[in-house]
Amino acid sequence: AQQNGTSDPQAAFEAHLRTNSPPIYGPLFAYKESHKHKPLTCSMFLRWLKSAAKAGGCEAIHGHSIRIGATLEYRLRGMPFDMMKVKGRWASDAFQLYLCKHNQILAPYIQAMPPSTASEFTRLAMPPVRP
């Protein structure tokens, strides 16, 4: 879905099409190397991501971090746990532990929010308590 700001996936996709001009009958996420198109693999994507993070002075990002971050994003957008489990291809309920850890890390920021915002954030991000 289109978003405002630099993280707009639609703008990123359009930039990819302009930059790489993937072949009509080839992989959609192909990139040019030595005047040839190559399919973007997971390992190549992660290699580029790590290189960009290093160039930006950031800590290296791992594939699992992206998966966990996406899970948090889905939860913050109100996606139910059963749908998150399917969408994230989680075989267990381990993703709920990651969500709790995110809340612990974000606690100082949550505490600095206005009370109504903090309670809404916590309601969306925390897994439900099961009896």
Side-chain angles (χ1 to χ4, degrees), residues 108-121:
Y109 302 101
I110 295 170
Q111 291 169 351
M113 292 177 181
S116 61
T117 306
S119 63
E120 180 67 6
F121 178 87

Side-chain angles (χ1 to χ4, degrees), residues 62-116:
H62 303 280
H64 199 66
S65 300
I66 296 169
R67 190 170 180 213
I68 294 164
T71 300
L72 178 61
E73 178 67 22
Y74 293 143
R75 187 62 190 145
L76 292 173
R77 291 178 181 253
M79 183 179 284
F81 282 92
D82 56 339
M83 287 179 64
M84 285 176 25
K85 190 172 180 178
V86 171
K87 190 167 182 70
R89 298 184 322 273
W90 292 94
S92 70
D93 290 334
F95 70 94
Q96 292 184 17
L97 296 173
Y98 293 119
L99 292 175
C100 288
K101 287 180 183 178
H102 276 293
N103 278 343
Q104 292 168 357
I105 293 166
L106 294 172
Y109 302 101
I110 295 170
Q111 291 169 351
M113 292 177 181
S116 61

Side-chain angles (χ1 to χ4, degrees), residues 14-50:
E14 290 169 1
H16 159 66
L17 294 177
R18 283 191 309 274
T19 304
N20 295 299
S21 303
I24 294 173
Y25 296 108
L28 179 58
F29 292 102
Y31 62 97
K32 290 180 185 176
E33 186 176 86
S34 302
H35 304 293
K36 293 171 123 179
H37 283 95
K38 289 186 156 190
L40 180 62
T41 61
C42 181
S43 60
M44 180 56 77
F45 173 75
L46 291 174
R47 195 174 318 150
W48 280 348
L49 192 59
K50 286 178 184 180

Side-chain angles (χ1 to χ4, degrees), residues 49-60:
L49 192 59
K50 286 178 184 180
S51 175
K54 184 177 180 181
C58 299
E59 192 175 313

